[in-house]
Amino acid sequence: MDKNLLRYKGVMPVFLIVGFLTLVQSVSILLLAKWLAEVISALFAGEPLKEQWGTALLFLLAFLVRHACAMLMGRVSYRFAEMTGSSMRREMMDKLFQLGPRMVGDRGTGNLVTLVLEGVTKFRTYLELIIPRMVGMSVTPALLLIYVYTQDMTSGIILTVTMPIIIVFMILIGMTARKQMDRQLKSYRTLSNHFVDSLRGLETLKFLGRSRSHSQSISDVSDRYRSATMRTLRVAFMSSFAMDFFTMLSVATVAVSLGLRLVNEQMTLLTGLTILILAPEYFLPVRLVGTDFHATLDGKEAGEAMKSIIDRDTVKAVLLEAEGNEVAIEAESAGSIFKWHPESTLTLNDLSVQYEAGDLSSLKGISLQFKGASKIGIIGESGAGKSTLVDVLGGFLHPTSGSITINDNHVSALTDEAWRKQTSYIPQRPYIFSGTLADNVRFYYPEAALEDIARAVAATGLSRLVASLPNGLDEMIGGGGRALSGGQEQRVALARALLSSRPIMLLDEPTAHLDIETEVELKETMLPLFAGKLVFLATHRLHWMVDMDLIIVMQQGQVAEIGTHGELVARKGAYYELIQAQLEGLH
Amino acid sequence: MKREGWFAPYVSSYFWRFLLIIALGALTIFSASSLMYTSGFLISKASIPPENILMIYVPIVGVRTFGTSRAVIHYVERLVGHDTILRILSNMRVRLYRILEPQALFLSSRFRTGDILGMLADDIEYLQNVYLRTVFPSVVALLIYAAAVISLGTFDIAFALLMALYMLVLVVVLPLISLFFTQKRQREVKQARNSLYQKLTDAVLGMGDWVISGRQSQFVETYEADEKKVARTDAALRSWARLRMFIGQAIVGIGVLTLISWASGQYADGAFAGTLIAAFVLVVFPVADAFLPVSEAVEKIPQYRNSLERLSGVEEDNGATAHAELEQVNLEPVEQLKSSSTHIQLRNAGYRYDTGEDWSIRDLTLDLPQGKKIAIIGRSGAGKSTLLKVIQGAIKPAIGSAVINGIDAAAYGEKIPAIIAVLNQSPHLFDTTVANNIRLGNPQASDEDLKEAAALAKLDTLISTLPEGYNTPVREAGQRFSGGERQRIALARILLQNTPVVILDEPTVGLDPRTERELLATIFTAMAGKSLVWVTHHLVGAEQMDEVIFMENGSVEMRGTHAELLKREPRYRRLYELDRPVSL
């Protein structure tokens, strides 16, 4: 049983209602069996049908009550499942956006989307099934069994003995199947992914001249996958086989033993029939549990996966007082703490970031100071810590140690909405949402007037593009709309940043993937827009550095050098080496 | 017509297996019904006073047989069913692959949004439900229906006909009503879910922007509102499903009463033995178990439509884009193609994808004798990819010509990979071992050849550090390795392919400068003697080329050797200086 189950809001009333309905249902099953048996045995004894109509209608009534109970139970548990499922999704969505892009990188976009959409559905199915099944299994068989014992000891014993056998077999076979699945899980996964892998690699296969012959390999692998699946299914289906087999055998045994005792006149037909009708009903709840086992298991796991996201800690930035106390930042004061103006200073004090305990640090003992409006270049090779530094500065990432001083306030991190609202961010591949060009530009600032948008678009060199689009600014772009080139995407992001007129700009490798001419043009557009802002530009393209006010050279998570271009060249240190490395020809 | 294309052919090719599955399905129900029938008969018979144990011997055996056989038959049925379906899926996969294979080079431009290839693969998985959840249960129900009517008919034809009509309500009328009621809503739910999927993927991919914008809660708000709308429709569907189940059961209950009155009438008339009353009444429940699921099975039909439409859509598109098969010229055998020196020539070649559109390339002349190395640079949309496709013969220039050794490039068709190898931005590494990935270049290659190629690609040190050496799995899409390492594996692969001409399509995008330079150095050393067409976004290494071509809007803007361009073109000089910051 799932211990989380009892913690969901409003679960107790659901249990009570379902419990009550199950009780009514079980009683109506008893009554319908009794009345049906009465009608049949009376007719069999030769009584006229006319006198039996009353009992027959009673049977129909009991029969309808039974199924009405099932319908109501379904309704109650569906509502509960729907409510709990949506509130869980809501919590998870809020958490996801608090955790931000770092988390997405770890989990994978596809995984998260599937978890939100399909995971919630599975979890809902689980909630919907588990309560009626649990209650049904604990109430109905017991009640029916007691009744059968009052009527006929022998049948009662047969039914009692069968139940544990069924359960033990189901568990044993289930475990065997699980083990077998686990054992071949790896080859299983490879086989089942082979087809998608082939489709995604189709172009490569074509280039290699292997695409035609590869269809044979698809068919071979599919066949291997089939045999592997069938091996597992042979065991997996055994559990429902065992359930079927023992239930049916038990019903048959009850029937035969009833027959034998009827012959010896130790019993009446009425009792015999009643028990015979009740026997399959006795097993029904267990069989339902078996049938829905996989659905409930899947749903339970999905629920746990969601819970693990909801339970993640989001480390919030806190205010550090002189005595070393940590004070939560109130929303009202956050604005003034993080407010960036031309005289502001930002100091990083001995800052480190370590992703997992025990891992190498991504950033080690960083101490830097920035003032008002200036252009900061962050340079270094891949893995030197450029992106991590940008993530800290952008408030996506809480450092593991160290502190930050901003406007004379000591804080633990910049992960605060008030800070983020002053920054704009341009990654290597800015995301273009599916929507109109105008919507994409006013993304940070949806209230922006159309003239302002047009101005931003013109300033970022997008006017030619807009003029060439049939719908101008209202053209749909992004997924499903018109595709933009890498350079155009950067310009949209730039327009977005410009329109928001936020005082801080973060750029992470904005041009590495562009051809050199596009890069040049983009640079020419960008540089004037940097004026009057605090700009952080992380890149490994050296030519940007000439235009920076300050250059930070990163090496293995540490600051190797700081200075202007001239200073650093004169120093002939790490920066100078980077330049020299690029000046050498290929060899 | 098209829609049946993914369904009907498999029915005829697996006819006998289908028949077996359906027969077994019907037998399963038959056994369950017979158990209740004989049980009812048995205890009624036993209760008639003068009977002794011998008289009920036959029904006892019957009860025991049916009691055990149901489970066995059902087990076999499920195994056979799944086995057959997996066979069909295997056929479908091969078929989809064969449809997509000819358009391999155009897939990325056609299916830009989302992972459509993954979706198509899922569609095929989903189609197994057509058979397992809809076709088989419905046909079995119809069979049982027929059997029930016939066996009633042997007693009383008039009543059999009446019951035939009555049961029809369960088997046909209720399912159709259900289908009619839910069709629209089901489509709505499906569409709404698709758009939720889009919306969420969009938001997750752009999470950084949402977080920075400070408008996250706004997104969650609108997303949840959409979810609520879907939930409402979904709730309506579910509530109908529950009601439908209740209606079905009510029909069964009334059916039981009808049978009771008929059976007692028959008994009173002396038309049949009293023992059959219990038998007939008890058999109603297992038979109804076959009928009740039909509604649900039929209701699922609209859900398959999307998958079927997407699959047949791919097929139709293919018909539209497939080029008229070019007459294949008698070519030298592949081995000879490989060893011969290759001369590629483009004369005033021009191409546009659609009449009325701008020319993707125009008036392009190119001379590439064996061993010549050219670099092509230009911004996106300048016509570089089209030029590469023309060289590979994937598209035939509308004006001018593209010939390889005097024969139209397009005429080489499937044999092109013997002459031209391609290393692009993201070569796919298949989810298998390093060795298997490299060997794709030439399956006949010996282990020595393989190692030699790996050494040329400077992979040997990396591979020696791997836990299982050459037999280390690369994981899905080569995730085990960094971008530069993946490119080296792909490089070893095309070295093994050993073609006289190699196309490098921006192989270093996304790599940092040091990795880029090291990779390029390795590539140029390993490619000695081969013709090279190198599309690049940076000018690093341009000095090693025999010719540098600048493309803009489909035509050549400037061309010449690196030294010439540096001297002659100020624009080139400026760009080059950015890449190799001499002025620093």
Side-chain angles (χ1 to χ4, degrees):
Chain A
M1 157 140 186
D2 184 0
K3 52 184 178 309
N4 284 329
L5 191 59
L6 293 176
R7 290 203 206 118
Y8 298 121
K9 205 179 127 225
V11 70
M12 282 334 275
V14 176
F15 259 112
L16 286 177
I17 296 171
V18 170
F20 173 73
L21 286 171
T22 310
L23 210 61
V24 174
Q25 192 182 38
S26 309
V27 171
S28 60
I29 291 173
L30 281 179
L31 290 174
L32 79 86
K34 185 168 163 291
W35 283 326
L36 185 61
E38 272 175 19
V39 173
I40 294 175
S41 54
L43 289 175
F44 181 69
E47 286 179 33
L49 181 64
K50 286 199 293 282
E51 291 168 22
Q52 295 306 317
W53 272 121
T55 324
L57 286 176
L58 279 177
F59 152 75
L60 185 62
L61 184 71
F63 187 80
L64 292 180
V65 167
R66 177 222 173 134
H67 289 290
C69 284
M71 184 167 74
L72 289 176
M73 266 190 267
R75 194 186 170 85
V76 171
S77 17
Y78 177 80
R79 275 210 188 146
F80 167 69
E82 166 59 29
M83 243 169 53
T84 314
S86 352
S87 75
M88 190 99 160
R89 185 186 51 229
R90 177 79 207 228
E91 270 181 72
M92 179 163 70
M93 294 282 284
D94 284 336
K95 196 68 167 202
L96 278 180
F97 280 93
Q98 279 168 32
L99 292 167
R102 276 272 160 195
M103 157 85 183
V104 176
D106 294 348
R107 279 271 185 148
T109 307
N111 277 346
L112 279 178
V113 172
T114 316
L115 185 60
V116 173
L117 280 163
E118 279 162 37
V120 172
T121 313
K122 280 184 187 163
F123 177 63
R124 223 160 42 196
T125 313
Y126 157 73
L127 285 181
E128 194 185 345
L129 291 174
I130 190 79
I131 298 176
R133 294 291 176 267
M134 266 169 47
V135 176
M137 203 165 117
S138 44
V139 173
T140 311
L143 210 69
L144 297 191
L145 193 62
I146 292 170
Y147 182 77
V148 170
Y149 268 113
T150 63
Q151 300 294 309
D152 177 35
M153 207 58 173
T154 322
S155 306
I157 291 170
I158 297 174
L159 294 181
T160 317
V161 172
T162 327
M163 189 64 96
I165 298 183
I166 291 181
I167 292 174
V168 167
F169 263 85
M170 264 169 56
I171 293 174
L172 279 182
I173 294 170
M175 268 160 51
T176 321
R178 187 109 246 197
K179 237 184 251 161
Q180 189 171 352
M181 286 244 283
D182 288 347
R183 207 166 9 177
Q184 39 177 333
L185 197 66
K186 230 180 83 188
S187 69
Y188 217 69
R189 196 186 56 85
T190 316
L191 289 175
S192 71
N193 283 343
H194 178 266
F195 183 55
V196 185
D197 198 29
S198 306
L199 289 186
R200 294 196 178 125
L202 194 51
E203 194 184 34
T204 301
L205 286 170
K206 187 91 175 173
F207 287 148
L208 292 167
R210 302 267 159 262
S211 53
R212 282 256 167 111
S213 52
H214 192 73
S215 69
Q216 186 54 45
S217 135
I218 288 180
S219 131
D220 290 347
V221 172
S222 282
D223 277 341
R224 261 169 41 217
Y225 178 54
R226 178 174 56 83
S227 354
T229 314
M230 289 313 293
R231 265 201 302 281
T232 313
L233 285 184
R234 272 200 283 276
V235 182
F237 287 168
M238 273 303 255
S239 85
S240 62
F241 167 76
M243 197 161 59
D244 266 8
F245 184 81
F246 287 111
T247 328
M248 289 294 176
L249 196 65
S250 176
V251 173
T253 314
V254 168
V256 170
S257 91
L258 289 173
L260 291 176
R261 267 165 304 134
L262 278 163
V263 169
N264 301 331
E265 294 185 47
Q266 291 161 333
M267 173 178 282
T268 61
L269 177 61
L270 174 63
T271 324
L273 266 177
T274 314
I275 293 174
L276 189 61
I277 297 169
L278 286 180
E281 300 289 352
Y282 167 75
F283 291 111
L284 190 64
V286 187
R287 296 181 56 173
L288 287 178
V289 169
T291 320
D292 296 332
F293 181 69
H294 286 286
T296 47
L297 199 66
D298 272 7
K300 195 176 159 200
E301 279 164 8
E304 279 159 10
M306 286 193 286
K307 200 139 180 24
S308 80
I309 289 184
I310 294 173
D311 290 346
R312 279 205 185 200
D313 296 333
T314 41
V315 194
K316 287 211 78 168
V318 290
L319 201 60
L320 305 170
E321 289 184 341
E323 307 85 52
N325 294 337
E326 296 185 356
V327 184
I329 297 172
E330 303 292 327
E332 304 90 63
S333 60
S336 66
I337 292 175
F338 290 106
K339 177 81 191 152
W340 194 257
H341 44 82
E343 287 79 41
S344 294
T345 54
L346 174 70
T347 315
L348 311 184
N349 314 309
D350 197 20
L351 212 83
S352 296
V353 173
Q354 199 175 13
Y355 285 123
E356 300 269 333
D359 269 12
L360 287 175
S361 297
S362 302
L363 285 183
K364 251 188 319 223
I366 304 285
S367 295
L368 292 166
Q369 191 168 47
F370 311 109
K371 261 200 194 96
S374 60
K375 291 171 282 198
I376 319 288
I378 304 170
I379 197 152
E381 293 183 342
S382 301
K386 296 192 301 274
S387 295
T388 312
L389 183 56
V390 169
D391 280 351
V392 170
L393 290 169
F396 292 126
L397 191 64
H398 196 291
T400 4
S401 66
S403 69
I404 294 170
T405 314
I406 175 164
N407 301 336
D408 299 327
N409 300 303
H410 288 290
V411 290
S412 67
L414 296 169
T415 50
D416 194 285
E417 188 136 337
W419 174 258
R420 290 194 204 115
K421 278 198 159 166
Q422 300 183 76
T423 61
S424 53
Y425 171 59
I426 302 184
Q428 183 174 356
R429 293 184 185 276
Y431 196 73
I432 304 297
F433 295 89
S434 24
T436 66
L437 179 57
D439 284 344
N440 265 287
V441 171
R442 66 177 152 216
F443 181 72
Y444 290 160
Y445 184 34
E447 309 81 37
L450 219 53
E451 306 86 75
D452 294 333
I453 295 175
R455 210 171 303 134
V457 161
T460 48
L462 279 169
S463 315
R464 277 244 318 270
L465 173 74
V466 172
S468 74
L469 296 175
N471 297 319
L473 277 173
D474 293 327
E475 183 81 7
M476 293 294 287
I477 56 173
R482 177 179 291 262
L484 301 183
S485 72
Q488 288 163 342
E489 286 179 356
Q490 288 291 349
R491 286 177 192 277
V492 172
L494 209 53
R496 210 180 262 173
L498 180 65
L499 185 67
S500 69
S501 50
R502 297 179 176 195
I504 301 160
M505 259 178 114
L506 296 145
L507 301 102
D508 192 359
E509 267 331 336
T511 57
H513 62 302
L514 301 176
D515 70 274
I516 182 142
E517 287 212 272
T518 309
E519 184 177 14
V520 172
E521 288 166 3
L522 205 59
K523 189 180 173 189
E524 280 162 5
T525 314
M526 276 185 182
L527 284 175
L529 302 181
F530 288 168
K533 295 191 184 210
L534 177 62
V535 177
F536 297 100
L537 175 85
T539 182
H540 46 232
R541 302 285 290 161
L542 279 169
H543 62 80
W544 284 96
M545 294 303 125
V546 185
D547 300 290
M548 295 290 127
D549 302 325
L550 186 73
I551 300 168
I552 300 168
V553 185
M554 300 289 297
Q555 255 174 0
Q556 288 162 353
Q558 285 172 310
V559 176
E561 282 180 328
I562 314 177
T564 63
H565 173 69
E567 287 167 17
L568 291 179
V569 168
R571 224 170 118 180
K572 300 215 163 168
Y575 182 70
Y576 184 75
E577 272 170 35
L578 277 175
I579 295 176
Q580 288 306 309
Q582 295 206 11
L583 277 176
E584 288 168 27
L586 296 180
H587 49 88
Chain B
M1 280 307 287
K2 276 277 180 191
R3 187 169 302 162
E4 287 168 2
W6 284 91
F7 175 69
Y10 304 104
V11 178
S12 51
S13 53
Y14 286 94
F15 182 74
W16 292 108
R17 279 177 160 269
F18 274 40
L19 211 61
L20 178 65
I21 296 164
I22 287 163
L24 286 169
L27 265 180
T28 307
I29 306 279
F30 177 76
S31 299
S33 316
S34 299
L35 172 65
M36 291 318 279
Y37 183 88
T38 39
S39 303
F41 178 77
L42 167 70
I43 61 168
S44 313
K45 184 99 175 159
S47 68
I48 301 171
E51 291 293 344
N52 65 40
I53 183 98
L54 285 175
M55 303 294 280
I56 55 163
Y57 186 68
V58 175
I60 286 182
V61 173
V63 166
R64 286 189 172 144
T65 317
F66 293 126
T68 47
S69 63
R70 192 206 109 102
V72 179
I73 297 172
H74 187 50
Y75 178 67
V76 176
E77 178 213 345
R78 289 177 77 187
L79 283 184
V80 178
H82 279 85
D83 185 66
T84 308
I85 296 311
L86 289 173
R87 278 169 203 272
I88 292 178
L89 290 192
S90 163
N91 285 342
M92 285 181 169
R93 288 194 195 108
V94 172
R95 180 164 157 207
L96 176 63
Y97 180 82
R98 292 218 171 112
I99 292 170
L100 292 173
E101 189 267 333
Q103 17 175 359
L105 301 188
F106 302 91
L107 284 180
S108 52
S109 53
R110 268 193 52 208
F111 299 134
R112 217 180 29 239
T113 52
D115 181 14
I116 184 93
L117 294 176
M119 243 151 92
L120 288 171
D122 284 349
D123 283 337
I124 284 187
E125 294 291 311
Y126 191 61
L127 283 184
Q128 59 182 307
N129 292 342
V130 174
Y131 299 99
L132 288 175
R133 302 255 167 95
T134 300
V135 175
F136 295 153
S138 310
V139 176
V140 167
L142 282 176
L143 267 184
I144 294 291
Y145 170 74
V149 172
I150 291 169
S151 46
L152 273 178
T154 58
F155 292 96
D156 180 349
I157 292 184
F159 182 70
L161 288 178
L162 182 74
M163 283 313 276
L165 277 178
Y166 188 73
M167 286 189 284
L168 209 58
V169 176
L170 267 189
V171 185
V172 178
V173 179
L174 194 60
L176 286 183
I177 292 176
S178 194
L179 181 63
F180 179 75
F181 270 139
T182 57
Q183 212 168 13
K184 204 177 128 229
R185 286 218 176 96
Q186 287 211 32
R187 228 185 354 254
E188 277 171 20
V189 169
K190 185 113 192 176
Q191 272 164 6
R193 291 204 137 255
N194 280 345
S195 79
L196 280 178
Y197 179 87
Q198 277 286 332
K199 204 168 173 173
L200 192 60
T201 312
D202 230 31
V204 172
L205 284 172
M207 178 90 75
D209 283 302
W210 279 108
V211 170
I212 284 277
S213 76
R215 290 170 55 208
Q216 310 92 300
S217 54
Q218 220 172 318
F219 172 78
V220 176
E221 215 60 62
T222 59
Y223 180 82
E224 284 296 321
D226 286 358
E227 279 271 11
K228 268 218 181 73
K229 243 185 272 166
V230 184
R232 262 203 297 279
T233 324
D234 199 47
L237 277 172
R238 298 297 296 269
S239 137
W240 162 249
R242 287 190 297 266
L243 183 65
R244 188 197 62 212
M245 201 61 200
F246 181 74
I247 295 173
Q249 293 287 4
I251 294 172
V252 174
I254 295 169
V256 171
L257 290 196
T258 323
L259 259 173
I260 290 178
S261 85
W262 170 75
S264 72
Q266 291 277 308
Y267 178 46
D269 296 348
F272 72 39
T275 44
L276 291 183
I277 302 177
F280 266 97
V281 172
L282 288 186
V283 88
V284 174
F285 301 106
V287 169
D289 280 345
F291 295 163
L292 289 170
V294 177
S295 294
E296 206 189 324
V298 170
E299 226 181 63
K300 286 203 161 71
I301 291 175
Q303 295 178 16
Y304 308 129
R305 194 182 293 161
N306 260 351
S307 297
L308 284 170
E309 273 170 4
R310 203 156 27 221
L311 285 171
S312 33
V314 171
E315 216 159 10
E316 277 162 26
D317 284 1
N318 184 37
T321 51
H323 309 268
E325 269 300 307
L326 290 148
E327 71 289 9
Q328 294 255 339
V329 193
N330 270 338
L331 293 169
E332 299 156 68
V334 170
E335 277 317 304
Q336 234 163 314
L337 284 176
K338 277 195 170 197
S339 53
S340 65
S341 79
T342 304
H343 192 168
I344 299 177
Q345 288 165 298
L346 265 61
R347 249 182 242 110
N348 308 102
Y351 186 83
R352 54 179 168 184
Y353 286 89
D354 260 315
T355 44
E357 262 187 49
D358 291 339
W359 292 91
S360 287
I361 56 168
R362 63 188 145 199
D363 200 23
L364 228 128
T365 300
L366 198 70
D367 186 51
L368 192 70
Q370 184 60 49
K372 187 173 173 184
K373 299 181 185 335
I374 58 173
I376 299 172
I377 184 161
R379 59 189 84 210
S380 71
K384 293 169 296 181
S385 331
T386 312
L387 172 63
L388 292 185
K389 287 203 178 82
V390 168
I391 294 176
Q392 292 175 80
I395 52 183
K396 195 174 152 61
I399 30 175
S401 66
V403 295
I404 303 176
N405 291 340
I407 301 170
D408 255 348
Y412 285 79
E414 291 295 313
K415 287 191 177 158
I416 272 292
I419 308 172
I420 302 176
V422 180
L423 182 65
N424 61 9
Q425 213 183 104
S426 49
H428 190 78
L429 292 193
F430 294 87
D431 189 5
T432 168
T433 62
V434 176
N436 284 344
N437 264 296
I438 299 178
R439 208 185 286 276
L440 266 178
N442 176 14
Q444 280 86 41
S446 66
D447 283 355
E448 283 71 49
D449 294 342
L450 194 103
K451 284 187 181 143
E452 202 185 325
L456 263 177
K458 299 242 169 85
L459 266 176
D460 34 4
T461 25
L462 171 69
I463 290 175
S464 65
T465 63
L466 294 176
E468 291 164 74
Y470 281 90
N471 293 322
T472 311
V474 304
R475 303 216 188 114
E476 207 179 325
Q479 275 163 12
R480 177 189 273 271
F481 301 106
S482 73
E485 290 164 351
R486 284 203 287 268
Q487 286 294 6
R488 284 178 192 273
I489 295 175
L491 175 63
R493 182 158 73 188
I494 63 167
L495 287 175
L496 213 54
Q497 195 181 347
N498 192 23
T499 55
V501 183
V502 174
I503 289 177
L504 301 170
D505 189 359
E506 307 203 342
T508 59
V509 166
L511 303 181
D512 71 66
R514 182 205 283 262
T515 317
E516 174 174 26
R517 302 169 82 79
E518 284 169 356
L519 180 66
L520 283 177
T522 312
I523 291 178
F524 292 149
T525 320
M527 296 295 171
K530 294 180 191 295
S531 305
L532 271 189
V533 179
W534 175 34
V535 174
T536 173
H537 65 305
H538 288 166
L539 288 172
V540 182
E543 65 282 352
Q544 306 232 343
M545 298 286 114
D546 299 319
E547 189 178 12
V548 179
I549 296 177
F550 246 85
M551 285 184 72
E552 199 156 75
N553 300 327
S555 44
V556 174
E557 184 70 14
M558 44 182 166
R559 70 196 297 171
T561 64
H562 171 67
E564 283 166 14
L565 288 176
L566 209 53
K567 205 156 79 191
R568 195 177 67 214
E569 305 278 354
R571 182 170 164 200
Y572 185 82
R573 204 157 39 230
R574 205 165 59 94
L575 294 179
Y576 186 72
E577 276 164 13
L578 275 176
D579 254 338
R580 299 193 50 189
V582 194
S583 65
L584 296 182

